[in-house]
Amino acid sequence: MRLDYRFISVDLLRAYKELVDYKELEEITGLDTQILWRYIRKGVKPNSKKAASLFNKLTSREIVEGLIRRKLVELENGIYSLYRIAYNIPLIKILSYIALKEFREYRINAVATVESDGIPLATRIADVMSAKLIVAKHRPEIGAKGYHQASYVSRDPPVYTMLFTPADILTKKDRVLIVDDLINTGKTSKAMIQLIKAAGAQPVGLFSIIGIRDSWFKVISKDLEKIYVALVITELQET
């Protein structure tokens, strides 16, 4: 997939301007405010070389981790609210371009998520990757001609959680990127992998905003070609 860096770099700058001021954007990009203003407000596009450089800076892990941490709310030890991230349109736009950058060589043509706070991000990623969107639901879709199902044990309290997708929504030709807002145990993503395989499709990768520690990696890594988590939280306060 060939990227139009000139368009994307301006789109990213506009998203950043919704989150930071011009002074901070100068520090991030190395460009002065007058040039940034022309890109953001006037729609002037940088040349291809500068656009590619901007794209790499604006999608760098270090910079984006900082943006996420500003919006992340810890409710208690190990429990986080991602509402200020999952429904933040500029930040979702930035994250979608990171997903495009990281997975554009993997021939993704379908994006899958569970009905949760991951839907806005998955929708945006499906759009920028020109892929179809699949949302697994906790109840069978009304009117579906059959469905695939998988289950896992949720914690606190421990209960069986069911996931369903219509049987005809994926095919053997589909290469699927799983999108999740937060990955903790990996059980939900493992159930998504099972649903994708049940349809005969290929689970290729996972993109998540937040990862809690790394126990989830062993649960899902052998089934996927690539995993990208924007921010991994490894150190939790002791209770």
Side-chain angles (χ1 to χ4, degrees):
M1 180 184 296
R2 186 174 180 178
L3 302 186
D4 183 352
Y5 289 114
R6 300 185 70 204
F7 168 81
I8 293 174
S9 63
V10 171
D11 204 28
L12 279 167
L13 285 171
R14 287 173 172 165
Y16 265 82
K17 187 57 186 68
E18 296 294 319
L19 302 172
V20 303
D21 58 23
Y22 274 112
K23 182 179 180 180
E24 186 170 352
L25 200 50
E26 280 187 344
E27 296 173 356
I28 293 170
T29 62
L31 301 174
D32 63 43
T33 295
Q34 186 176 4
I35 294 174
L36 291 169
W37 185 85
R38 290 177 63 213
Y39 292 155
I40 295 168
R41 297 301 179 191
K42 292 294 185 179
V44 176
K45 293 182 175 61
N47 61 44
S48 297
K49 183 177 180 180
K50 185 175 290 186
S53 176
L54 276 171
F55 175 76
N56 287 326
K57 287 179 181 179
L58 296 172
T59 56
S60 67
R61 181 181 289 276
E62 181 181 3
I63 300 299
V64 176
E65 281 184 353
L67 296 178
I68 294 172
R69 287 187 184 277
R70 293 180 191 183
K71 301 293 184 181
L72 186 62
V73 177
E74 185 173 10
L75 303 176
E76 57 182 271
N77 186 41
I79 300 177
Y80 294 87
S81 170
L82 270 67
Y83 187 85
R84 294 174 62 199
I85 299 171
Y87 297 92
N88 185 307
I89 299 303
L91 189 48
I92 288 299
K93 181 181 289 187
I94 293 166
L95 289 165
S96 71
Y97 282 128
I98 294 173
L100 177 63
K101 173 184 176 182
E102 295 296 327
F103 290 94
R104 70 180 187 272
E105 304 298 335
Y106 286 78
R107 297 183 290 113
I108 301 294
N109 64 348
V111 173
T113 192
V114 177
E115 56 173 350
S116 67
D117 290 343
I119 291 178
L121 177 59
T123 302
R124 174 69 189 183
I125 291 174
D127 183 40
V128 300
M129 299 187 78
S130 300
K132 62 183 175 181
L133 177 66
I134 296 94
V135 179
K137 299 187 176 182
H138 296 297
R139 293 179 178 83
E141 188 76 32
I142 295 176
K145 297 179 180 179
Y147 52 84
H148 299 296
Q149 68 181 67
S151 65
Y152 62 96
V153 179
S154 303
R155 62 174 189 171
D156 301 326
V159 294
Y160 274 105
T161 298
M162 302 295 296
L163 293 178
F164 300 87
T165 54
D168 59 352
I169 200 166
L170 287 170
T171 72
K172 294 180 180 179
K173 296 181 179 180
D174 289 324
R175 291 175 58 80
V176 187
L177 175 65
I178 299 168
V179 173
D180 201 352
D181 57 327
L182 183 146
I183 183 167
N184 192 337
T185 64
K187 292 179 180 179
T188 304
S189 298
K190 185 67 174 182
M192 287 297 297
I193 290 169
Q194 293 171 354
L195 285 172
I196 293 164
K197 288 185 174 181
Q202 176 64 44
V204 175
L206 176 132
F207 184 91
S208 182
I209 303 173
I210 303 289
I212 305 299
R213 291 181 170 157
D214 60 0
S215 61
W216 47 266
F217 185 81
K218 292 182 180 180
V219 176
I220 62 173
S221 60
K222 66 180 181 179
D223 295 301
L224 302 171
E225 296 177 31
K226 181 172 182 175
I227 297 170
Y228 187 96
V229 180
L231 173 62
V232 178
I233 300 174
T234 57
E235 297 181 3
L236 303 179
Q237 295 179 356
E238 295 297 328
T239 57

